[in-house]
Amino acid sequence: MVKASNVKTIEWADGKVRLIDQTLLPAELKVLECTDYREIAEAIKVLRVRGAPAIGAAAGFGLALCAVHSRAETPTALLAELEQARAVLAATRPTAVNLFWALDRLMACARQHGEDSVEELKEALVAEAQAIAAADVAANRRMGQYGAALIPDGARILTHCNAGALATAGYGTALGVIRAAVEAGKRVHVYADETRPLLQGARLTAWELQQEHIPVTVITDNMAAHLMQQGRVDVVIVGADRIAANGDVANKIGTYGLAVLAHHHGLPFYVAAPVSTLDLSRACGEEIPIEERSPEEVVCFRGLRTAPEGVEVYNPAFDVTPHELVTAIITERGVVRPPYVEGLRAIVRGKEDKTG
Ligand code: MRU
């Protein structure tokens, strides 16, 4: 059986980008081939590729596609095309900072090679985009090692949305920690929140874990409190789309509610995220832009209306969990505990913090 952690969420293949169309899972495992950065932008917008680190990798590959298929004859002309492509890719989704981080990295690389030949510039950009994807997988594996130490043998773990191999270039953040715990011989049982409105938990997390025979039970989002009250959850672990300097965490809508519940029930609430998800330019969560998506996502499911025509809908895709509710942030450079301002600053500076 194919292991989901070995499935290539997104990859560069000879001038093309191959990515799994996540809107079709779990019914169909279909790989799309993109040759134009606009296809990548569309894929990000409609969530064919989603999850903060995977969005970052996709954006990097998008700029690489723009370069490789450009007919520009001078580096200056190519840079102008890249700027245009950057604007299109940057306008797709506002919350995951990995998108902007990857675009900035590619543009910095382009400027650095601005005096080289057009061919050299193209090669440098493809190499940079590939490096971002490869580094993400390596970061997730290291994060997994740090995080696994926090998971007790026999833990019943609640997770939200999908922070797995599908949400990254491979292995996953929150699910990476769970995978690493299993690889270390620990027994776990995962409760996957369904994650309304787009069901990333039911469709994607359950699919990934099932592929690897990691025990998983799907629950609807409104069942988490009941489960905790019954003493059936030991740990909550989620991913992140952007983490502010004070440790406030933007993640899939519903995460904040879980953090409040975990606090009430005295359960640890962990966030697993790579350093590329930290945005120390935002002092706190209030400064993080929260994406609002189409009302259709809430009142229609696969073409079927679930609420009356014309009803008012509010559909924020993310919420912010205040840092006071976060037990620890697991990164590839170590586990950060409160106070987060100092801890996160040290992590970004590159200092390892293995205090666990
Ligand atoms: O709207 P999505 O599916 O892109 O939201 C994804 C999440 O909220 C994930 O938890 C987050 O990006 C972390 S993925 C490692």
Side-chain angles (χ1 to χ4, degrees), residues 10-342:
I10 183 159
E11 66 181 331
W12 182 261
D14 227 359
K16 297 187 188 109
V17 174
R18 290 163 55 83
L19 58 90
I20 295 176
D21 184 346
Q22 298 187 34
T23 61
L24 303 177
L25 282 171
E28 194 183 342
L29 177 56
K30 183 175 171 188
V31 176
L32 297 176
E33 282 196 348
C34 306
T35 50
D36 190 312
Y37 73 87
R38 293 176 200 87
E39 293 170 83
I40 299 283
E42 191 262 355
I44 295 173
K45 229 178 200 157
V46 306
L47 273 58
R48 294 189 207 291
V49 60
R50 32 70 47 203
I55 292 172
F61 284 137
L63 284 186
L65 274 184
C66 169
V68 164
H69 297 287
S70 161
R71 295 198 180 139
E73 286 174 4
T74 64
T76 313
L78 181 49
L79 268 165
E81 284 181 23
L82 287 166
E83 286 291 358
Q84 249 178 359
R86 185 205 186 279
V88 171
L89 289 159
T92 51
R93 298 191 75 189
T95 305
V97 73
N98 305 61
L99 171 70
F100 308 97
W101 170 86
L103 291 172
D104 288 349
R105 247 184 84 163
L106 267 281
M107 292 310 293
C109 171
R111 281 189 287 272
Q112 217 177 330
H113 291 267
E115 307 283 298
D116 296 358
S117 71
V118 169
E119 275 321 302
E120 283 167 336
L121 176 47
K122 290 182 179 184
E123 274 168 33
L125 287 168
V126 172
E128 186 73 352
Q130 283 178 311
I132 285 177
D136 184 54
V137 182
N140 292 336
R141 288 199 173 267
R142 279 200 301 277
M143 200 184 300
Q145 295 304 313
Y146 285 120
L150 303 174
I151 306 293
D153 184 29
R156 293 152 309 167
I157 308 167
L158 178 62
T159 190
H160 191 64
C161 194
N162 172 265
L166 290 166
T168 61
Y171 201 69
T173 59
L175 295 194
V177 168
I178 293 171
R179 283 197 166 98
V182 171
E183 284 164 17
K186 292 182 182 175
R187 291 158 304 161
V188 301
H189 190 100
V190 180
Y191 286 103
D193 262 357
E194 179 182 46
T195 316
R196 280 276 292 146
L198 295 178
L199 307 187
Q200 289 94 327
R203 294 188 303 106
L204 309 176
T205 295
W207 181 79
E208 275 197 30
L209 296 177
Q210 212 182 41
Q211 300 287 309
E212 288 169 40
H213 306 289
I214 297 174
V216 56
T217 302
V218 172
I219 58 167
T220 63
D221 301 336
N222 50 0
M223 294 173 187
H226 175 67
L227 229 66
M228 288 185 192
Q229 193 180 45
Q230 290 189 325
R232 291 170 65 178
V233 177
D234 301 300
V235 178
V236 181
I237 179 160
V238 297
D241 283 83
R242 197 187 289 236
I243 300 175
N246 69 345
D248 288 354
V249 174
N251 191 49
K252 179 52 56 193
I253 190 78
T255 302
Y256 172 39
L258 283 186
V260 172
L261 285 173
H263 182 74
H264 181 77
H265 291 92
L267 300 173
F269 181 88
Y270 297 122
V271 175
V275 171
S276 54
T277 299
L278 302 179
D279 181 2
L280 302 196
S281 74
R282 314 279 167 155
C284 62
E286 276 172 30
E287 296 181 13
I288 298 176
I290 299 294
E291 176 184 11
E292 267 190 54
R293 294 186 61 86
S294 151
E296 299 305 304
E297 292 180 352
V298 175
V299 293
C300 282
F301 189 72
R302 302 233 156 119
L304 186 74
R305 272 205 88 79
T306 56
E309 291 281 354
V311 75
E312 205 173 296
V313 175
Y314 177 48
N315 184 19
F318 301 97
D319 61 25
V320 173
T321 298
H323 61 276
E324 301 86 18
L325 299 177
V326 179
T327 309
I329 298 174
I330 304 159
T331 78
E332 71 273 34
R333 294 187 188 158
V335 176
V336 188
R337 290 183 186 270
Y340 288 115
V341 172
E342 292 80 2

